[in-house]
Amino acid sequence: MEFVIIIIILLAVVLMLAQDVFLIMVVVYGLIGLTSVVCAVFFMLSLILLLTMKWTDAVYLGAEESDKGWNVAVYEIDGEQVYNLFPMDTVFVKMKKEDKPTRVRIRKLFGKQLVFDKLSILTISLGFPIFTGITLALLGFLRF
């Protein structure tokens, strides 16, 4: 939603400055392209991180609000509470059963335990090819 508001504000500013409509299209295309590249790089790094993690057994304890303001899954691994790296959708909060054993991917990085659950793996598995495809398509349009 914020993206649409930014686009509308940029359009208003460009039109008030009596610029060409082509400039508006270039700015919008550039913002969409930049967003797509950033998302593709994020998912690529997440995929590399995911592939370097190992499987371990964990117990799902529930969802808690993180310091960033979204819900994350909390797992108990070897008696320690570990938070999932990706946010948890509100639909999946209701679907998961607490105190249920599950398998997660885990890795210690910079002194912190990083965990990817199955929802995170699904998000990365879908996000990487989608945003890479969008980025490649946008780059292909630049050739024309």
Side-chain angles (χ1 to χ4, degrees):
M1 184 66 191
E2 293 84 10
F3 185 71
V4 174
I5 293 171
I6 290 171
I7 297 288
I8 291 171
I9 291 171
L10 285 173
L11 286 172
V13 169
V14 170
L15 289 174
M16 285 189 293
L17 294 173
Q19 296 296 323
D20 189 19
V21 175
F22 180 74
L23 180 62
I24 296 171
M25 291 173 32
V26 169
V27 168
V28 170
Y29 186 81
L31 287 173
I32 292 171
L34 181 65
T35 303
S36 175
V37 168
V38 168
C39 287
V41 169
F42 168 74
F43 281 113
M44 180 184 64
L45 294 174
S46 296
L47 182 63
I48 291 169
L49 184 63
L50 175 66
L51 293 174
T52 62
M53 295 174 134
K54 62 181 179 182
W55 286 103
T56 188
D57 293 321
V59 176
Y60 175 70
L61 298 178
E64 290 183 12
E65 189 170 322
S66 72
D67 55 346
K68 295 180 175 71
W70 55 66
N71 287 334
V72 292
V74 181
Y75 294 95
E76 182 178 337
I77 301 171
D78 297 329
E80 180 182 350
Q81 283 191 355
V82 183
Y83 296 88
N84 191 21
L85 200 58
F86 274 69
M88 187 173 196
D89 192 81
T90 54
V91 173
F92 290 102
V93 169
K94 296 174 185 172
M95 289 176 59
K96 282 197 162 196
K97 294 178 178 67
E98 292 185 13
D99 299 325
K100 181 182 175 197
T102 187
R103 305 240 330 137
V104 296
R105 304 280 287 191
I106 189 167
R107 180 172 188 216
K108 192 168 190 166
L109 189 66
F110 303 118
K112 186 176 180 183
Q113 294 278 12
L114 302 177
V115 172
F116 283 161
D117 60 5
K118 292 176 183 172
L119 177 61
S120 301
I121 295 169
L122 178 66
T123 302
I124 294 168
S125 299
L126 292 174
F128 177 68
I130 288 171
F131 280 103
T132 301
I134 291 171
T135 302
L136 292 175
L138 289 172
L139 289 174
F141 286 132
L142 283 178
R143 294 180 58 193
F144 296 109

